[in-house]
Amino acid sequence: MMASSHIIVGAATWTWLAARFGLPPLEPLGLGLAVLGSLAPDIDHPKSTLGSRLKPISVPISLVFGHRGITHSLFAVAGCAWLFSESGVHAAYSAPFLVGYLTHLAGDLLSPSGLPLLYPLKRRRTFALPIIKTGGFSEQLVVVILCGWLISGLFGCDWRGLLQTGAWRDAIALVDEAENRLSSLRPEGEDAAPTAAAPWPPRKPAIKPPHRVASAACGVCG
């Protein structure tokens, strides 16, 4: 996935989870940590969005492990969780980072290259569900659908039962009432069947030939 897609998915996922667990979903620090976590695995690439800003860290990791190596494994997730736990970081700060990190790995799993989730135990074993092309239309479609579903869930919208909700019935009743009011304002006879429309283009009236006028005898008979 592109960096922008990772950011959008990471932020949307954390917003949805925070609302589910009673945390402020739009709290700036939590969103920022989720975005940071969604970019963190690509620290192993010096030209990535995060790696280009942290080259003293990115370059050595890239030289030792390469791109999509240890930072794209479950070992890295476990290492981050252990580090946060040992350093005493509050869960309100570590959770959004880890959520963003996991969404990055989930997004990369959908690309043909896949991920070495068991690295360093099995370096050459990659896992993939190749349904998107990085930077292609398929990636944009997946991001739009996923984020749309997460945002709709954030606002309590259940698309499967939308037609049975009270809000939907109220909206239909409001439309019906507006239509009835408009109908009452129409002049009488407006609803009558319209007369047949004149043909277009209009036909020219047939020109009647002039009456024959009896010519007077000139008195000269031939």
Side-chain angles (χ1 to χ4, degrees), residues 54-65:
L54 298 174
K55 286 190 174 181
I57 300 175
S58 178
V59 171
I61 294 177
S62 177
L63 292 175
V64 175
F65 301 104

Side-chain angles (χ1 to χ4, degrees), residues 147-213:
C147 291
W149 176 74
L150 291 173
I151 293 174
S152 66
L154 175 64
F155 290 98
C157 180
D158 184 3
W159 297 108
R160 296 170 299 177
L162 181 61
L163 299 179
Q164 285 74 38
T165 59
W168 178 263
R169 290 194 294 268
D170 292 343
I172 295 298
L174 183 62
V175 172
D176 290 339
E177 182 180 356
E179 186 177 357
N180 294 333
R181 288 180 179 273
L182 290 175
S183 299
S184 63
L185 296 177
R186 294 174 183 171
E188 294 182 0
E190 183 177 337
D191 295 334
T195 58
W200 184 263
R203 299 175 182 176
K204 294 182 179 180
I207 300 177
K208 297 182 179 180
H211 294 286
R212 292 183 180 180
V213 180

Side-chain angles (χ1 to χ4, degrees), residues 77-131:
V77 178
C80 289
W82 175 83
L83 183 62
F84 286 136
S85 176
E86 290 297 317
S87 58
V89 176
H90 196 275
Y93 305 128
S94 60
F97 181 88
L98 292 175
V99 167
Y101 205 109
L102 287 171
T103 60
H104 183 112
L105 300 187
D108 283 351
L109 280 174
L110 302 180
S111 64
S113 300
L115 294 180
L117 293 179
L118 300 180
Y119 191 99
L121 299 178
K122 295 182 179 181
R123 299 187 179 187
R124 297 183 180 180
R125 175 67 185 277
T126 59
F127 299 84
L129 181 61
I131 63 174

